[in-house]
Amino acid sequence: MLTDRQKLILQAIVLAYTETGHAVGSKKLVEMLKITVSSATIRNEMATLEEFGLIQKEHTSSGRIPSLAGYRYYVDHLKHRDILVGKNDMSLIRQSLDGSYAKVDEIIASSANMLSQLTSYTALAIKPESGDVKLSGFRLVPLGNHQVLAILVTDSGEVESQQFAINKDVSGDQLEAIVRLVNEQLVGQSLRIVLQRLLTDIPTQIAQYLSTPDGFLQTFGQALDRAASDQFFVGGRLNLLDFSSIDNPTTLKDLYQLLSNKTDMHDMMIPSQDNTEVSVKIGDEIANDLLKDYSLLTATYDVGNHGRGMIAILGPTRMSYSRTIGLLGAFRQELTNKLINYYQFYDE
């Protein structure tokens, strides 16, 4: 159990080190702290904090820096004292989400980019995922040269399209018959059920109109997969390398490519506990050796029947936790409001 003075000293060391990147000595702390205390007393308290494993020596300086345990203590017990979102940051967040968007994907992708710009770290975003999304419309548009564009719409406002080739002897009437079949048999059903039926009874029915239905079925299935999957967006990929202490080119490549592994990143982003707070994983808590010098901050946003998504910041363990947590929390609220307003259009 830390005393109030030890908490103040640890808080000051975290804030000073995350801001400057320099180890913090007792003289600096005397200047920073709003209490009357000598350098000798500060040194004694620092020695106690070091014994507790909350701060550690830096090889090139006589000062101290936070340990991973020190960051953890700060986040769990002290960060609330420093969280403040500035008016300029709030204005930038609202402006970034104030545009007109045709798809949810565009909103989420824009969010990842804006979070990255606000923090100079790497931002991650996953769009809302709901098992209740239904197919609400389907069209086939002839493009000429035996090419057709398949377009599907979901009740959440998602629009997916994909082009495919047909045999030259396929007529417009046959294409219209397929559209009628899909709209009569599949529209109004959940995407999960539609995908299941593409593997069971639908192929036989499509074969009544197309002698080789595989191309259409594959195209339709891929578009459905995209609409049903939790789309993953990354902003500021290269920022991840700015804070890496890794010198090995192969390991650096692995670190960069990690961001393209949707499954691994999704699993790492899952909050350590289900609550309304911003989840913070520091160093080894991320459970990936490539990210042992990083921290991952995640916030879950909820848009009711349209599902839940996640936004996250991946940056160095030496990040400004108070500001980043504040930004992520504020951005989550503004993003939730934006998506609720967007979905209301499709719910009417």
Side-chain angles (χ1 to χ4, degrees):
M1 185 70 178
L2 299 187
T3 65
D4 288 341
R5 185 162 62 192
Q6 289 165 351
K7 290 177 182 178
L8 285 174
I9 292 172
L10 177 61
Q11 180 184 13
I13 291 173
V14 170
L15 293 178
Y17 182 66
T18 55
E19 180 180 352
T20 68
H22 300 304
V24 185
S26 57
K27 290 183 179 180
K28 176 67 175 177
L29 289 170
V30 169
E31 297 172 4
M32 292 178 62
L33 294 175
K34 297 178 181 180
I35 55 176
T36 303
V37 65
S38 68
S39 293
T41 300
I42 294 292
R43 285 194 294 272
N44 289 335
E45 297 286 32
M46 291 175 70
T48 300
L49 290 173
E50 191 169 357
E51 288 177 7
F52 290 161
L54 299 177
I55 61 175
Q56 60 192 28
K57 287 184 179 180
E58 190 179 50
H59 299 302
T60 58
S61 170
S62 59
R64 300 294 185 273
I65 64 174
S67 65
L68 294 183
Y71 286 127
R72 181 79 265 166
Y73 189 94
Y74 172 82
V75 168
D76 290 344
H77 302 287
L78 305 175
K79 72 176 188 300
H80 62 279
R81 305 182 184 186
D82 305 310
I83 291 178
L84 180 66
V85 182
K87 291 182 178 180
N88 185 53
D89 285 334
M90 281 304 305
S91 177
L92 288 173
I93 290 172
R94 287 169 178 159
Q95 288 176 18
S96 71
L97 294 170
D98 195 36
S100 177
Y101 298 93
K103 299 174 64 176
V104 172
D105 288 18
E106 294 177 3
I107 300 175
I108 307 304
S110 175
S111 298
N113 289 329
M114 189 60 205
L115 270 174
S116 174
Q117 292 173 28
L118 282 170
T119 61
S120 297
Y121 303 140
T122 297
L124 316 166
I126 296 176
K127 78 175 185 181
E129 180 182 9
S130 172
D132 296 327
V133 174
K134 296 179 176 63
L135 182 66
S136 63
F138 178 75
R139 296 288 183 274
L140 289 177
V141 181
L143 302 176
N145 294 323
H146 315 303
Q147 298 292 312
V148 176
L149 184 67
I151 304 172
L152 64 86
V153 183
T154 72
D155 64 347
S156 65
E158 292 298 311
V159 179
E160 293 291 345
S161 62
Q162 189 158 328
Q163 188 174 325
F164 68 101
I166 57 173
N167 292 333
K168 61 182 180 180
D169 57 347
V170 175
S171 67
D173 289 341
Q174 289 171 289
L175 294 178
E176 284 299 320
I178 294 172
V179 172
R180 284 196 302 272
L181 186 153
V182 171
N183 284 322
E184 292 172 1
Q185 295 277 334
L186 302 176
V187 165
Q189 298 193 17
S190 71
L191 300 187
R192 178 179 54 81
I193 292 176
V194 174
L195 284 165
Q196 288 176 350
R197 293 190 63 185
L198 283 186
L199 301 175
T200 55
D201 62 307
I202 293 299
T204 303
Q205 298 184 58
I206 296 293
Q208 298 176 24
Y209 307 104
L210 294 177
S211 57
T212 54
D214 291 349
F216 166 76
L217 292 170
Q218 181 181 23
T219 297
F220 191 24
Q222 289 172 346
L224 284 167
D225 279 335
R226 290 198 302 274
S229 66
D230 52 340
Q231 297 294 325
F232 183 79
F233 301 91
V234 181
R237 286 176 180 267
L238 289 176
N239 292 348
L240 190 68
L241 305 182
D242 291 342
F243 304 100
S244 174
S245 59
I246 300 171
D247 296 324
N248 187 307
T250 301
T251 307
L252 282 173
K253 181 181 178 181
D254 292 341
L255 178 62
Y256 185 79
Q257 290 180 338
L258 177 65
L259 295 175
S260 299
N261 190 321
K262 184 174 75 171
T263 300
D264 285 352
M265 292 307 303
H266 182 284
D267 291 344
M268 283 186 281
M269 286 173 66
I270 295 174
S272 52
Q273 53 185 350
D274 188 15
N275 56 34
T276 58
E277 297 293 321
V278 172
S279 170
V280 181
K281 296 180 181 180
I282 302 172
D284 295 338
E285 296 170 0
I286 305 177
N288 187 302
D289 288 342
L290 291 171
L291 299 176
K292 58 182 175 55
D293 295 324
Y294 292 85
S295 289
L296 179 64
L297 283 59
T298 306
T300 300
Y301 61 92
D302 191 330
V303 283
N305 293 334
H306 297 286
R308 305 175 75 187
M310 291 185 285
I311 52 175
I313 293 293
L314 182 61
T317 52
R318 186 185 68 79
M319 70 161 60
S320 175
Y321 289 96
S322 55
R323 179 175 184 268
T324 308
I325 290 171
L327 283 174
L328 196 58
F331 203 101
R332 170 182 50 192
Q333 186 58 55
E334 294 300 320
L335 176 60
T336 301
N337 294 339
K338 177 69 177 182
L339 289 171
I340 288 174
N341 291 333
Y342 176 90
Y343 284 127
Q344 281 178 345
F345 176 82
Y346 293 95
D347 290 338
E348 294 176 353

